């Protein structure tokens, strides 16, 4: 229920709204980086010591892990372990990818992240 006594949005509607927001944010990040060129990619961010490239790589890694874990759970399998060393290695590999490939992955994985949740 909402605080005013009415029925609030369903859990599924809240998931759809959150996913729409995530997709919109990924698209906004991609637009800004495409428009800003190399200067935008190497610019500092609100995350101390991180460039935009670092943040995008981190978002992609998080989405990859979430998609893998969610799919495993939906299929009744155990989630694969991810060690700190494996995460650091994957993050470094992502940071080394071309700009456009990173942005394509960010948008694709944000959508892929959302779809299984919306299907439930």
């Amino acid at each position: 229920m909402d605080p005013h006594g009415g029925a609030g949005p369903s859990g599924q509607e809240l998931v759809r709204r959150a996913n729409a927001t995530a997709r919109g944010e990924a698209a906004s990040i991609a637009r800004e980086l495409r428009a800003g060129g190399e200067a935008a990619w190497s610019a500092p961010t609100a995350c101390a010591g991180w460039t935009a490239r670092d943040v995008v790589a981190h978002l992609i890694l998080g989405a990859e892990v979430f998609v893998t874990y969610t799919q495993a759970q939906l299929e009744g399998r155990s989630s694969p372990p991810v060690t700190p060393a494996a995460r650091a290695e994957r993050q470094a590999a992502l940071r080394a990818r071309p700009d456009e490939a990173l942005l394509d992955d960010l948008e694709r994985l944000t959508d892929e992240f959302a779809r299984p949740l919306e299907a439930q």
Side-chain angles (χ1 to χ4, degrees), residues 57-112:
H58 175 75
L59 291 172
I60 291 169
L61 177 60
E64 286 175 343
V65 170
F66 183 82
V67 166
T68 299
Y69 279 34
T70 301
Q71 195 60 43
Q73 291 301 306
L74 290 173
E75 294 172 0
R77 296 182 285 112
S78 296
S79 300
V82 179
T83 65
R87 288 179 71 92
E89 183 178 318
R90 179 65 180 144
Q91 182 103 3
L94 286 167
R95 281 193 308 270
R97 297 197 62 217
D99 299 350
E100 206 50 45
L102 283 174
L103 296 178
D104 288 347
D105 282 352
L106 176 64
E107 291 180 298
R108 178 184 55 78
L109 284 163
T110 301
D111 184 61
E112 200 173 312

Side-chain angles (χ1 to χ4, degrees), residues 6-72:
S10 69
Q12 193 61 30
E13 178 57 27
L14 292 173
V15 167
R16 276 192 286 279
R17 289 179 189 177
N19 287 340
T21 299
R23 286 176 175 122
E25 289 298 316
S28 178
I29 289 167
R31 271 192 310 277
E32 287 186 33
L33 289 171
R34 284 182 177 116
E38 188 51 42
W41 282 98
S42 57
T45 67
C47 301
W50 286 38
T51 65
R53 178 173 299 284
D54 296 325
V55 172
V56 169
H58 175 75
L59 291 172
I60 291 169
L61 177 60
E64 286 175 343
V65 170
F66 183 82
V67 166
T68 299
Y69 279 34
T70 301
Q71 195 60 43

